[in-house]
Amino acid sequence: MQFAILGPVEARRADGTPVALGGPQLRGLLALLALDAGRVVSAERLIDGLHGEHPPEGAAEALQSQVSRLRRRLRDGGAPDGLVEFTPAGYRLAVDPQDVDVHRFERLTAQARETPDPAGALELLDEALALWRGPALDGLADPPRAARLAELRLAATEDRVEAALALGRHDRLVAELWELAREHPLRERLSAQLIRALHGSGRSAEALAVFAGIRERLADELGADPSAELANAHAAALRATPVPARRVPVPLTGFVGRVELDRLTTALREARLVTLTGPGGAGKTRLAVEAAARVAGEVCFVELAATTDVPRAVLAALGLREQGVLTPGAPADPADRLAAGLADRPLLLVLDNCEHVVAEAARLTRRLLGECAGLRVLATSREALGLTGETLVPVGALPADAAERLFTDRAAAVAPGEAPAAGAVTRICAALDGLPLAIELAAARLRTLSADDVAARLGDRFGLLSRGDRTAEPRHRTLRGVVEWSWDLLDADEQLLAGRFAVFAGGARPAAVERVCDVPDAVLTGLVEKSLVEFDGRRYRMLETIRAFCAERGDDRRAAHAKYFLDFACTHEPKLRGADQLTALAELTAEHADLHAALRWSAAEAPETALRLIAALSWYWWLRGVRSEATPIADAVLAAVGPEPPPGLAEEYVLCAIHASATDVAIEPILQRLDGPLRYPYLFLLWAFSPRTKAKEGERLAALLGSDAWSRAFARIGDGLGAQYGGRIAEAEAHFSASLDAFRVLGDRWGEASALEKLAEFADWRGDHPRFRALMDESVRLAGELGATEDAADLLCRRADGVLRAGDAEAAQADYETAAEQARAAGTPLTLARARGGLGEIARRAGDLTTARRWYSAALALATDPVTGGETRIRLHTGFGWTAAAEGHLDEATELHQEALATALEHTNLPGAAQAIEGLAGVLAGREEDERAAFLLGVAVGLRGAPVTGDADVAGVAGRVRARIGAEAYAKAFGRGREMPPEQAVEEVGQRRFALGS
């Protein structure tokens, strides 16, 4: 949480939204604590700060109440407990001082004063002063502190002016300094700075008048003479020392910081030729202007966009003439005149927009740098000048946060008032690739459209963003003009490749470009050099705006694109089941956008290709936890193919149907026609989790699993689950152990994690907590390596269950809370339900039944999936039942446990049934029907195949029953239940009247 007192007092959450703090007393209290963040503030100082020298009666008691209210407000806003601490010496805001704006301000200003580089100091001071949003401690009865902070702000402002003067920004400072001097007429440093700024701008007469005015005021009001600083500024103005020319455009809008500015500033100190390269609209010119403004000494800015004669454009910008007026002769060659005029002149020459005259600009630059020792050149171009010693600084898209700041800043200028919707701003900036010019054009549309409307219309971005600055060059007036300028500079082969490359939705590797585009590599290199395509060392990529323009002009390569990515998916699909699993996942993830572009096209134009792609990507979707994204495509493919699979594509057809939403396609007859080993063995698993699942078809698919190593290891997982759900624990453990060994040989992390989790569960039942923890930790680690956030969250819940059973409620709570955060972020309600249920278990075991009820209710509202939510609902209804029983609501407890039992029997889950039956035993024990309770406890162990060591609920019921009826009677009833055949036990226990005792 961040705190702001340099203006209206605020506490802000991590996302920047403010916390409701209440009235001025609470805001004042927070401000006083924040001033000494991390340190104890005495009650007396707080009372003085809030009430001044005459506090009201009962101020100490009122302070305690205000502290309590402040704590509650902060806690409601998401702050952790204990943020406002009480000690015998007073109160403390327990945060890092850097979380408070005033302390950040003081740190930044101190760093600026220690920085010898004026540009670096200026940047630090700009950041520090931007923290101020108005008078500090506004409205508080603490004038001395408010005055001290105001003085610090003014001193920082003067330091900032000093740094800007050192960089030669005289013209830009005059208006600001006039205003400051009016506000502080006796402030000698400000007046001295104003004199220097006026003199540096060529306005020496005005500078002398300012000095005369301040000298008179000092004499009349203070009886003092001007300081040495004022006197020196006056003397410089009298000497009228010439100031180096700085022909740099003054921007009309603020600059949104970019990391490239620091790189550019460093490059200009170390190299004589620096070129900013990047696509049109990336902000190269603005970046060059900002960098030039930071350079001390003479700067000349030359705009080349409207000329083809580079030397004469430079001559004109420098104010040099080709020949004298009084001694006319043959005009000198412009390049010769420039070389002579700049021979002994230290200068930064900025050549803006060189791309259409790149050869001419390069020739002139090479000559001037060779003959003019004091010259440095900064060029902006969509391609490099190509000279030896040239330092390139690529300018790309703005980062998301900077792009959104730019949009918001420009939007405030054209449509003041309510800020645009944050979500819409994010969508706009992402769709426009973070291109500054495109973002500014989009912000300009807020005069007539809302941000949501702009975001919705970006499908026609060239039509939407067609109104820019009337005074701008045509190529910068509209978005189409920006890209068209670059397109027109391409030769025919480059235009052909650019049009074909536009088929790639997410960029491409060299092999993909070669296969799909069928154009020589050298042409692609040309597109990279001209900033139409970016290359990061592995992939080529077009900005979306450029891609949309090129797609309008390219021939259709979508069929070749779909074929390439089908081959790519089929090549990588087997690698997902073995040691290359992580590499294959990363490769497929890198091509995710193009795989789906190929799917969307083939669903409409080549359904058989789409069927093959869906099959090849199914296990990838499963491992990445993104199965649902295939649903709309699968629906379209089934509609195109019809009720029968094409020849040889039955498996692919079934996989497509599994991904589709509910359809009328009859899959069971198709399943019956499958023969031979499955080419996609995970079809069995996907079918098991499909809403269309039928047991007999699942058995049919299991019988078709192949004899390869992965299929055999996978089959042992299925056999283990069948044995576990049938109560045959020793057999299940053997299957899972064999599966783990096989998957380890294969190097398949998914298989290892799945087997480890089940083996850990059995270790937990036996009370072998060290083994349980080791197995679960390894399973969680493997899921994390797979990037399976959803599975990792679920495994954290399972680990927490065992840790809680071992008695470590604190560690269990940490796991449940982490799992809940991950589940919320991943959008997996079932895992969130499980985590909330775990927090309910912790509350119940601690005796906080009200909190337990709240957690269980919240969890049940999420566990609604009829197929995958069964196990979670069993756990939740059982935990809720134990809570109701502890409150004495035995009928409610019976209903809840019966619900859990019905769910377990519906899913043929005997361990889940055992869990519910143990809850029913607790109800019977509560009614003192002890022999029946003992019998049910035995039934539960028989169904599960093993007792669960360390289950406090079961141990408590068993202890109470044994104490009332004796060990012998208990053992007899328990044994009778344990020995009862599972089918008979299920039938008898499933009768409602047994549990109710009727």
Side-chain angles (χ1 to χ4, degrees):
M1 186 166 281
Q2 299 287 316
F3 300 90
I5 64 174
L6 300 179
V9 178
E10 292 181 351
R12 302 185 190 123
R13 302 178 182 88
D15 62 1
T17 56
V19 174
L21 292 175
Q25 286 291 304
L26 290 188
R27 286 186 278 109
L29 174 59
L30 178 60
L32 293 171
L33 291 169
L35 276 166
D36 288 291
R39 297 194 296 268
V40 174
V41 185
S42 69
E44 291 77 10
R45 280 180 60 196
L46 292 173
I47 291 170
D48 288 345
L50 290 171
H51 302 290
E53 297 179 359
H54 304 289
E57 193 74 27
E61 292 77 9
L63 177 63
Q64 294 176 7
S65 173
Q66 289 161 3
V67 169
S68 297
R69 288 164 54 209
L70 178 60
R71 285 172 175 155
R72 186 166 60 252
R73 292 276 187 172
L74 293 174
R75 189 168 56 248
D76 290 346
D81 289 333
L83 199 63
V84 180
E85 293 180 349
F86 170 74
T87 72
Y91 297 92
R92 182 173 84 101
L93 184 63
V95 299
D96 185 335
Q98 293 306 305
D99 290 337
V100 182
D101 59 359
V102 67
H103 300 296
R104 290 202 302 280
F105 169 77
E106 291 179 331
R107 173 178 59 81
L108 290 166
T109 53
Q111 288 177 346
R113 291 182 183 115
E114 295 171 0
T115 301
D117 176 24
L122 182 63
E123 186 170 351
L124 289 167
L125 290 163
D126 280 341
E127 183 180 350
L129 290 165
L131 295 170
W132 286 77
R133 297 161 295 112
L137 304 179
D138 193 12
L140 303 184
D142 196 347
R145 287 202 179 196
R148 172 184 167 273
L149 291 175
E151 173 60 28
L152 290 177
R153 182 184 189 182
L154 184 56
T157 301
E158 291 173 334
D159 289 345
R160 176 187 166 279
V161 169
E162 195 65 36
L165 285 171
L167 293 170
R169 300 184 179 182
H170 304 86
D171 288 335
R172 302 189 194 184
L173 292 168
V174 170
E176 177 185 355
L177 283 168
W178 270 122
E179 188 62 33
L180 287 168
R182 276 193 289 268
E183 292 177 11
H184 307 279
L186 296 176
R187 188 89 175 184
E188 292 185 76
R189 189 182 184 194
L190 282 175
S191 292
Q193 289 174 333
L194 175 57
I195 291 168
R196 289 162 57 198
L198 287 166
H199 170 54
S201 303
R203 299 158 67 179
S204 298
E206 292 177 70
L208 296 175
V210 169
F211 176 77
I214 181 97
R215 181 175 58 184
E216 184 177 345
R217 286 193 299 275
L218 288 170
D220 290 348
E221 299 184 32
L222 301 179
D225 293 326
S227 66
E229 184 177 10
L230 259 176
N232 289 338
H234 177 236
L238 283 173
R239 287 194 298 270
T241 305
V243 177
R246 297 185 63 84
R247 298 180 178 87
V248 181
V250 178
L252 297 178
T253 56
F255 179 73
V256 173
R258 302 185 62 143
V259 294
E260 294 96 339
L261 182 57
D262 292 332
R263 291 204 298 270
L264 178 56
T265 302
T266 301
L268 285 172
R269 285 198 297 265
E270 299 174 352
R272 294 185 64 210
L273 171 59
V274 180
T275 302
L276 289 171
T277 61
K284 300 184 295 296
T285 298
R286 185 59 193 275
L287 196 57
V289 168
E290 200 67 27
R294 289 175 167 226
V295 173
E298 189 173 10
V299 179
C300 182
F301 189 95
V302 186
E303 169 58 69
L304 298 177
T307 186
T308 56
D309 191 333
V310 177
R312 282 190 169 82
V314 178
L315 275 175
L318 285 166
L320 297 177
R321 304 169 66 94
E322 295 179 20
Q323 61 180 359
V325 176
L326 300 179
T327 56
D333 178 86
D336 293 340
R337 180 73 180 92
L338 283 171
L342 297 177
D344 299 313
R345 188 171 175 181
L347 173 76
L348 173 65
L349 183 63
V350 182
L351 302 178
D352 190 38
N353 293 300
C354 296
E355 52 272 347
H356 66 300
V357 286
V358 66
E360 294 85 346
R363 282 194 295 270
L364 180 65
T365 299
R366 182 174 57 191
R367 177 175 179 186
L368 294 180
L369 288 175
E371 298 182 25
C372 308
L375 181 67
R376 289 176 295 159
V377 175
L378 169 60
T380 76
S381 178
R382 301 185 193 187
E383 62 178 304
L385 299 189
L387 297 179
T388 301
E390 181 179 22
T391 296
L392 299 181
V393 178
V395 181
L398 286 170
D401 57 343
E404 291 169 22
R405 285 201 310 275
L406 175 63
F407 185 93
T408 303
D409 178 63
R410 301 300 187 260
V414 301
E418 186 176 350
V425 173
T426 299
R427 294 197 303 277
I428 291 167
C429 294
L432 295 175
D433 303 299
L435 276 176
L437 179 63
I439 290 169
E440 293 187 347
L441 291 171
R445 293 310 309 269
L446 295 193
R447 296 187 188 97
T448 55
L449 295 173
S450 71
D452 284 314
D453 289 334
V454 171
R457 298 184 187 195
L458 283 175
D460 178 22
R461 65 187 63 204
F462 296 116
L464 179 71
L465 308 181
S466 59
R467 297 179 184 176
D469 186 342
R470 290 189 181 94
T471 65
E473 293 288 336
R475 61 193 173 77
H476 274 170
R477 203 172 297 161
T478 70
L479 189 60
R480 182 176 294 279
V482 171
V483 187
E484 202 159 35
W485 170 267
S486 297
W487 175 269
D488 290 340
L489 296 174
L490 304 179
D491 62 32
D493 285 342
E494 289 170 339
Q495 289 181 347
L496 175 66
L497 178 54
R500 290 181 174 181
F501 188 94
V503 75
F504 292 105
R509 295 180 185 176
V513 180
E514 182 181 353
R515 279 265 310 269
V516 174
C517 297
D518 192 26
V519 175
D521 289 343
V523 181
L524 183 58
T525 301
L527 290 183
V528 174
E529 291 176 348
K530 294 181 179 178
S531 301
L532 263 289
V533 172
E534 298 173 347
F535 183 56
D536 63 6
R538 292 192 67 200
R539 298 178 68 82
Y540 296 98
R541 177 178 177 267
M542 260 185 184
L543 296 179
E544 188 59 29
T545 296
I546 296 174
R547 192 171 82 89
F549 181 91
C550 294
E552 296 175 355
R553 288 158 168 74
D555 56 351
D556 192 345
R557 306 297 291 181
R558 287 178 294 178
H561 177 270
K563 184 180 186 308
Y564 174 82
F565 282 101
L566 173 60
D567 292 345
F568 184 89
C570 290
T571 299
H572 285 77
E573 186 272 337
K575 298 178 183 179
L576 293 172
R577 303 192 297 279
D580 294 330
Q581 191 173 60
L582 294 184
T583 301
L585 273 172
E587 296 277 325
L588 288 163
T589 299
E591 306 297 349
H592 184 276
D594 280 282
L595 288 164
H596 278 261
L599 259 177
R600 288 190 295 272
W601 176 82
S602 57
E605 303 295 336
E608 291 190 16
T609 298
L611 280 176
R612 291 187 172 94
L613 255 175
I614 286 172
L617 293 174
S618 288
W619 194 233
Y620 163 71
W621 287 325
W622 176 272
L623 292 177
R624 276 287 180 249
V626 291
R627 286 177 62 203
S628 62
E629 70 180 22
T631 299
I633 297 175
D635 287 342
V637 172
L638 285 183
V641 171
E644 284 292 320
L649 297 179
E651 261 186 76
E652 287 84 351
Y653 187 87
V654 172
L655 281 165
C656 182
I658 289 172
H659 288 293
S661 56
T663 67
D664 297 329
V665 176
I667 297 179
E668 292 74 20
I670 299 170
L671 289 171
Q672 293 301 316
R673 297 203 298 268
L674 293 177
D675 57 359
L678 292 173
R679 287 175 288 113
Y680 303 100
Y682 44 79
L683 173 56
F684 171 61
L685 177 65
L686 299 181
W687 180 257
F689 281 91
S690 169
R692 313 165 68 110
T693 298
K694 293 185 180 178
K696 61 182 181 180
E697 283 82 14
E699 293 168 3
R700 162 78 175 151
L701 288 172
L704 294 176
L705 287 173
S707 59
D708 62 283
W710 195 91
S711 295
R712 291 198 305 273
F714 180 66
R716 297 300 290 268
I717 290 274
D719 294 340
L721 289 171
Q724 180 184 0
Y725 284 0
R728 305 184 304 279
I729 300 306
E731 179 187 341
E733 194 159 13
H735 283 304
F736 288 125
S737 295
S739 177
L740 176 61
D741 292 341
F743 278 127
R744 276 189 166 148
V745 170
L746 289 167
D748 187 295
R749 289 164 175 79
W750 173 84
E752 290 182 63
S754 300
L756 284 164
E757 185 230 323
K758 301 311 296 183
L759 292 171
E761 186 174 11
F762 299 145
D764 179 32
W765 289 359
R766 288 194 297 271
D768 187 350
H769 297 300
R771 177 170 168 76
F772 162 79
R773 187 60 189 260
L775 294 172
M776 280 304 305
D777 287 352
E778 187 178 0
S779 184
V780 170
R781 176 182 63 80
L782 289 168
E785 288 180 4
L786 283 170
T789 306
E790 304 85 350
D791 294 323
D794 187 66
L795 290 171
L796 283 175
C797 288
R798 294 179 187 275
R799 186 172 73 182
D801 295 343
V803 169
L804 182 60
R805 218 169 349 257
D808 191 345
E810 185 176 350
Q813 180 165 345
D815 270 355
Y816 285 133
E817 288 176 347
T818 301
E821 290 174 9
Q822 292 181 358
R824 271 193 294 268
T828 50
L830 202 58
T831 304
L832 181 56
R834 185 172 183 125
R836 287 178 172 176
L839 293 171
E841 285 287 295
I842 292 174
R844 178 173 69 82
R845 290 169 188 266
D848 187 353
L849 302 182
T850 301
T851 300
R853 271 186 173 273
R854 189 172 70 249
W855 280 122
Y856 287 131
S857 297
L860 280 169
L862 296 171
T864 56
D865 190 287
V867 178
T868 59
E871 182 182 350
T872 302
R873 287 199 303 279
I874 294 167
R875 296 173 56 81
L876 294 174
H877 280 122
T878 303
F880 216 151
W882 285 108
T883 303
E887 294 171 329
H889 306 312
L890 297 182
D891 286 348
E892 181 188 5
T894 299
E895 294 281 351
L896 289 162
H897 289 310
Q898 287 280 21
E899 183 69 28
L901 178 60
T903 303
L905 297 180
E906 178 187 349
H907 289 78
T908 323
N909 183 346
L910 294 189
Q915 188 177 357
I917 288 169
E918 286 165 343
L920 290 170
V923 173
L924 292 175
R927 293 197 169 102
E928 299 190 4
E929 298 182 40
D930 294 325
E931 287 194 11
R932 289 208 237 184
F935 169 76
L936 285 190
L937 292 177
V939 168
V941 172
L943 290 177
R944 186 185 290 113
V948 177
T949 303
D951 189 318
D953 295 317
V954 173
V957 171
R960 292 197 305 275
V961 169
R962 192 182 290 111
R964 286 199 292 257
I965 65 174
E968 184 177 350
Y970 175 86
K972 183 177 179 181
F974 181 91
R976 184 164 51 86
R978 181 167 188 169
E979 298 304 320
M980 181 175 285
E983 296 80 5
Q984 182 182 347
V986 166
E987 182 178 353
E988 184 168 347
V989 176
Q991 296 179 27
R992 185 180 182 85
R993 65 178 185 278
F994 182 90
L996 293 174
S998 56

